[in-house]
């Protein structure tokens, strides 16, 4: 029996790589970061069955859910007629009754961004949507996402005659979904096209496909589909999609549109755009000619401006860097930055800002600013002091969801809020003294953007009530201006013109005028309504439009003390803030339809009192196959020869995503390297937990006793398999999106293969091999308990984090055959000042006390490329070890305890222009200059903290060098580096690579 030389340099290579959810003690790769998707609320779903849908919803049979069921069936009939086929079985639809709940969905991985109203995922064949309380918007999103379901049906191999699945560009799929759900006359798309014409930037098909970050696929894609119908007729919509679904867009241009190439389509489209959208710009002002443009504060995508009563400051949501949106303060006279009140994803006072359809409100003295936020899964109103930005109070409003509008009463004692409850919109009154909230509307109309009259007697708001809305027929007209008498609750509706969308009503300081944004001729402008004379006046006449992100986003504010106007204008595919003095805001009288008086309330219940079709049942989770990876097979070739390996994975999930089962298996060469795991994860509640079992083989390499070497060989390496049988339970409690506590309890049984191959080398070349019995240490039986505290406030670029910070602290204990403690600390800081980023990392990991240095446990190796580059193990064996792994220069890099310091200077070169010096998003690339340092030690061998290039003691090792990182189509990050390792004086430099994102 052969006894291996078990030294500190015994190197471990995994033969079966299991998912990171199974954390083994001492495995550095398990130290994961990332933000949390928090399940704040336990949602009890019911299932509504209709002819073509299974609708998972809560609360049970809420009127908006019943309306959505009818709308879905109506959309299904329209889409099936256009596409020429149905969906086969019933389509699964999951409806969340507010956006905050939608953000906690586990049906899709990753975080849900503020701009997502719905998602259709093909793996589980599910449509997931957040109801908004604005029925017209819900109708649009339902129709849009259902188009994607029809698209996925066509793109499935073998479906309706299609056998291929070409990669269709975003403008094609999203543009088609927008066009079929909005129709040919969408004012937002028309605004984008007018802007493109005025700036000479109407994109071609290649531009839209290659730069979706620059040419918004929803707007430009919709415009292209509209052009196709105008030019080739309605029938071409189906033919163009059918051909593209099989052979791609280029083929559809030739085969369906009968053009020679896509550039011919580009030319025709630009010609049509000039004829379709150009005439509307005639006689109108360019944005620079409208008021005073504020741009000095350096922000981009300025949204929801709110000017202070004294007219000195403007609070505006602005993208001051590429990573997040901030609530910025801007000097209204100079446009210079005057501070910040909050930011998305990094503020310690709350979890998120509301900004898509939301804006804040000033107190009368201009010293405080209130704005809607999310905190701990509850909507809240944050009140910040001005100008220092300190958050004075955060008032939770648990009863109201998706708060969008905030209006501070003139006497400062109340706030009017707009939001939703059970997916129905309304207006609530918040008493600032008692913090009590009461609803003051009872119907099912949409309510947005409340504003007080100066005397506090009237509330103005945007509402879909009006002559074009028929809630029984589920027909929703445009938003109008509503006026409520606060004492009686009586509501009147104003409309500057039939069919015009109205948003953001704001009173003048004397209360005699009402300003708002409307689009009676298809272009949104600022209008003024004279309450005394009942007359309308046009204040702006902009060629693009006065607008926010969506057709109903806030975009206008009036200083209640001075009468100045602040509003956002669309220009060069972005939104900029303009200020107009009160004396220039009187406007020119226009003759449109006048005011309309409506009854005080309406009794509206929706289409039917009962269920559309079929029954409503309680939801019971059942598992369905979510994904099945192909059996990946590959060949590895290294110093020990060739081996064939493979892996496979099956993932099962219930419909609403609360339960997941993952099954993996992997093999590397022979049957004895077969490993696998089964893991169950439960995310129904805030505390996510999971249990799993695993069988994990790992290769260990040891030196053969030199006396046993055959003739003409100088090195023998034993390849022994170490097996770990693992049972583990995990839990995580997220304090917020950024911070969490992790708990881990596991039992491991570790044992070694009895016979192992021995590889014989001569001068580094493999000569022969044999299989021999090997003496092994006794099996280990260990119970591990661990806890970790994790925080992540970082923001990613294309290849690595560039801004913010993250940290992780671990503490664990093992008991059984051995006793020892484990510790870990990993702290990372990222600074970004365009175009450069600077990053620093401090890391500690170790085993302490008892059996921490037992040779049966794998040691850390600081020469791994993700720690200290330039000290690759195999390079060290070949050079410093001269083919012998038992060399002091190598041994000192192994240890039961390590400390590492890393620093990088990062220059994104290729990207989208915001991140990256050169706009080339096809291969995002970052250049890196780095400095790495680390030291490894054990309980019996302390580190020697001195600089030396020749010492063989456990001294720190250092390297510096350069690297380049590539984002390979979003599938992987490749880093190629060249390092100068200072403690390897005989090696002039070391090349290497790793496939992982930068730390």
């Amino acid at each position: 029996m052969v006894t291996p030389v078990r030294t500190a340099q015994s190197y471990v290579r995994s033969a079966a790589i299991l998912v990171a959810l199974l954390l083994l003690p001492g495995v550095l790769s398990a130290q994961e970061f990332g933000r949390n998707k928090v399940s704040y609320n336990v949602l009890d779903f019911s299932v509504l069955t209709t002819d073509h849908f299974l609708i998972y919803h809560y609360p049970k049979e809420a009127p908006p859910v019943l309306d959505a069921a009818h709308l879905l069936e109506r959309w299904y009939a329209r889409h099936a007629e256009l596409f020429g086929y149905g969906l086969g079985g019933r389509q699964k639809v999951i409806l969340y009754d507010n956006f905050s709940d939608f953000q906690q969905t586990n049906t899709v991985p990753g975080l849900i961004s503020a701009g997502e109203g719905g998602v259709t995922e093909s793996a589980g064949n599910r449509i997931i949507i957040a109801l908004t309380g604005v029925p017209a918007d819900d109708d649009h999103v339902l129709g849009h996402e259902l188009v994607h379901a029809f698209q996925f049906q066509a793109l499935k191999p073998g479906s309706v005659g299609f056998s291929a699945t070409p990669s269709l560009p975003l403008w094609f799929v999203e543009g088609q979904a927008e066009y079929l759900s909005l129709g040919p006359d969408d004012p937002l798309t028309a605004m984008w096209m007018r802007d493109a014409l005025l700036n000479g930037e109407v994109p071609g098909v290649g531009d839209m496909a290659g730069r979706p970050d620059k040419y918004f696929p929803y707007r430009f894609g919709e415009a292209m589909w509209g052009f196709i119908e105008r030019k080739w007729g309605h029938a071409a919509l189906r033919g163009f999609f059918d051909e593209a679904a099989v052979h791609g867009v280029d083929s559809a241009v030739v085969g369906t549109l009968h053009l020679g190439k896509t550039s011919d389509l580009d030319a025709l489209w630009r010609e049509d755009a000039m004829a379709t959208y150009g005439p509307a710009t005639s006689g109108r002002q360019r944005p620079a000619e409208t008021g005073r443009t504020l741009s000095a504060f350096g922000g981009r995508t300025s949204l929801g401006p709110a000017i202070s009563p004294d007219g000195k400051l403007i609070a505006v949501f602005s993208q001051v860097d590429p990573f997040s949106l901030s609530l910025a303060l801007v000097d209204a006279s100079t446009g210079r930055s005057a501070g910040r009140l909050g930011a998305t994803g990094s503020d310690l006072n709350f979890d998120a800002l509301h900004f898509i359809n939301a804006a804040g409100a000033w107190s009368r003295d201009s010293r405080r600013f209130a704005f809607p936020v999310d905190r701990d899964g509850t909507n809240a109103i944050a009140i910040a002091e001005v100008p220092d930005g300190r958050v004075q109070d955060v008032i939770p409003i648990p009863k109201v969801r998706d708060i969008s509008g905030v209006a501070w009463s003139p006497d400062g004692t109340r706030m009017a809020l707009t939001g939703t409850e059970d997916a129905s919109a309304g207006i609530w009154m918040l008493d600032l003294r008692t913090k009590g909230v009461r609803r003051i509307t009872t119907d099912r109309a949409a309510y947005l953007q409340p504003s007080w009259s100066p005397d506090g007697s009237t509330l103005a708001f945007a509402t879909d009530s009006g002559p074009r809305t028929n809630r029984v027929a589920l027909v929703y007209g445009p938003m109008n201006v509503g006026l409520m008498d606060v004492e009686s609750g009586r509501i009147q509706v104003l409309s500057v013109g039939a069919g015009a969308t109205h948003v953001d009503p704001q009173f003048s300081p004397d209360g005699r005028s009402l300003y708002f944004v409307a689009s009676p001729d298809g272009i949104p402008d600022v209008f003024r309504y004279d309450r005394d004379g009942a007359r309308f006046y046009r204040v702006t006449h902009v060629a693009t439009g006065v607008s926010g992100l969506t057709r109903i986003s806030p975009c206008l504010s009036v200083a209640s003390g001075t009468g100045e106007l602040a509003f956002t204008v669309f220009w060069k595919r972005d939104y900029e803030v303009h200020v107009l003095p009160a004396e220039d805001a009187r406007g020119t009288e226009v003759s449109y339809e006048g005011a309309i008086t409506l009854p005080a309330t309406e009794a509206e219940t929706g289409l039917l009192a009962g269920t559309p079709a079929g029954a409503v049942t309680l939801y019971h989770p059942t598992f369905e196959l979510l994904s099945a990876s192909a059996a990946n097979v590959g060949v590895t070739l290294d110093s020990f020869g060739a081996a064939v390996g493979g892996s496979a994975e099956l993932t099962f999930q219930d419909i609403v995503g609360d339960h997941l089962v993952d099954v993996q298996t992997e093999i590397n060469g022979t049957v004895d390297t077969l490993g696998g795991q089964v893991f169950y994860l439960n995310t129904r509640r805030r505390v996510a937990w999971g249990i799993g079992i695993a069988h994990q083989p790992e290769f260990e390499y040891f030196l053969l006793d030199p006396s046993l070497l055959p003739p003409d060989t100088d090195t023998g390496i034993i390849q022994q398999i170490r097996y770990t049988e693992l049972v583990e339970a995990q839990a995580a409690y997220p304090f917020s999106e950024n911070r969490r506590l992790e708990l881990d309890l596991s039992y491991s049984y570790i044992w070694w293969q009895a016979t192992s191959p021995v590889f014989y080398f001569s001068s580094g070349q493999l000569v022969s091999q044999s299989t021999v019995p090997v003496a092994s240490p006794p099996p280990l039986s260990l119970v591990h308990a661990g806890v970790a505290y994790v925080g992540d406030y970082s923001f990613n670029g294309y290849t690595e984090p560039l801004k913010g910070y993250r940290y992780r602290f671990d503490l664990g204990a093992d008991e059984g055959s051995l006793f020892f403690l484990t510790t870990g600390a990993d702290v990372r800081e990222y600074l970004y000042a365009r175009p450069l980023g600077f990053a620093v990392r401090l890391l500690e990991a170790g085993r302490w006390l008892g059996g921490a240095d037992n040779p049966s446990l794998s040691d850390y190796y600081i020469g791994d490329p993700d720690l200290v580059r330039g000290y690759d193990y195999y390079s060290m064996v070949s050079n410093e070890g001269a083919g012998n792994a038992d060399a002091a220069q190598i041994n000192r890099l192994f240890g039961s305890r390590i400390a590492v310091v890393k620093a990088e200077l990062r220059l994104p070169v290729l990207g989208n222009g915001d991140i990256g010096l050169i706009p080339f998003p096809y291969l995002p690339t970052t250049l890196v200059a780095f400095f790495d340092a680390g030291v490894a030690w054990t309980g019996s061998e302390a580190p020697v903290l001195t600089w030396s290039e020749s010492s063989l003691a456990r001294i720190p090792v250092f390297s510096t060098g350069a690297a380049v990182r590539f984002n390979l189509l979003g599938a992987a990050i490749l880093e190629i580096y060249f390092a100068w390792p200072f403690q390897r004086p005989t090696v002039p430099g070391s090349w290497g690579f790793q496939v992982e994102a930068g730390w």
Side-chain angles (χ1 to χ4, degrees), residues 152-196:
F152 289 149
Q153 177 73 18
L155 294 171
K156 291 178 183 177
S159 296
V160 292
F162 298 115
S163 57
T165 56
S167 178
L168 296 175
L170 280 176
W171 75 261
F172 184 96
V173 293
E174 297 296 353
Q176 184 185 40
E178 284 288 89
Y179 186 70
L180 296 183
S181 58
L182 287 173
D185 300 317
D186 178 49
L188 210 58
T189 292
M191 183 180 72
W192 280 71
M193 291 301 295
R194 289 192 303 274
D195 176 74

Side-chain angles (χ1 to χ4, degrees), residues 792-867:
D792 196 331
Y793 293 85
S794 63
F795 296 91
N796 289 325
Y798 282 108
T799 58
E800 66 278 295
L802 287 176
K803 181 186 175 183
Y805 61 95
R806 53 174 50 167
Y807 54 81
R808 181 182 182 98
F809 302 101
D810 293 85
L811 177 64
D814 284 70
E815 179 63 275
S817 304
L818 302 170
F819 168 77
F820 54 89
L821 299 180
T822 57
T823 61
D826 194 348
V827 180
R828 312 177 188 189
E829 180 84 19
Y830 311 101
L831 303 175
Y832 183 77
R834 193 178 186 274
L836 288 174
F838 176 75
V840 62
R841 179 185 183 187
L842 305 176
L843 180 143
E844 176 277 331
R847 296 191 299 270
W848 308 83
L849 305 178
D853 293 328
N854 189 290
S856 296
L857 300 174
S858 299
D859 281 337
Y860 304 110
Y861 181 67
I862 61 172
D864 281 339
D866 60 336
L867 297 178

Side-chain angles (χ1 to χ4, degrees), residues 54 56 87 89-94 106-109 119-128 149 152-153 156 619 622-628 651-657 660:
L54 293 171
Y56 301 80
L87 295 180
R90 285 188 173 94
Q91 172 67 44
K92 296 184 284 286
V93 178
I94 304 172
N106 291 300
T107 56
V108 291
V119 61
T120 303
E121 61 89 27
S122 59
N125 188 32
R126 294 170 290 192
I127 295 174
I128 307 103
F152 289 149
Q153 177 73 18
K156 291 178 183 177
Y619 170 71
T622 57
F623 286 101
E624 296 186 359
L625 181 63
L626 182 66
S627 64
T651 302
F652 303 86
Q653 191 180 51
D654 74 312
I655 301 300
V656 301
L660 182 142

Side-chain angles (χ1 to χ4, degrees), residues 395 397 429-438:
I395 305 171
I397 317 289
M429 200 66 71
L430 168 65
D431 188 316
L432 293 174
R433 293 165 296 190
T434 66
K435 307 298 174 64
V437 178
R438 65 182 178 90

Side-chain angles (χ1 to χ4, degrees), residues 250-303:
D250 290 352
S251 178
V253 169
V254 176
T256 303
L257 306 185
H258 307 294
L259 298 175
K261 50 188 179 299
T262 55
S263 59
D264 296 336
L265 177 62
D266 296 343
L268 289 173
W269 186 37
R270 292 186 175 110
E271 181 182 315
D272 176 84
M274 182 63 70
T276 302
Y277 306 104
T281 64
S282 178
R284 285 181 167 266
Q285 293 179 323
R286 294 217 170 194
E289 301 169 338
T290 303
R292 184 176 69 255
T293 307
L294 302 185
S295 58
F297 68 100
R300 291 190 53 202
T301 311
S302 301
L303 304 170

Side-chain angles (χ1 to χ4, degrees), residues 201-221:
E201 284 196 289
V202 177
V205 171
D207 300 322
M208 292 190 291
R211 292 295 309 274
D213 58 305
K214 182 177 181 180
Y215 301 107
F216 191 37
Y218 287 73
R219 301 280 72 83
F220 289 109

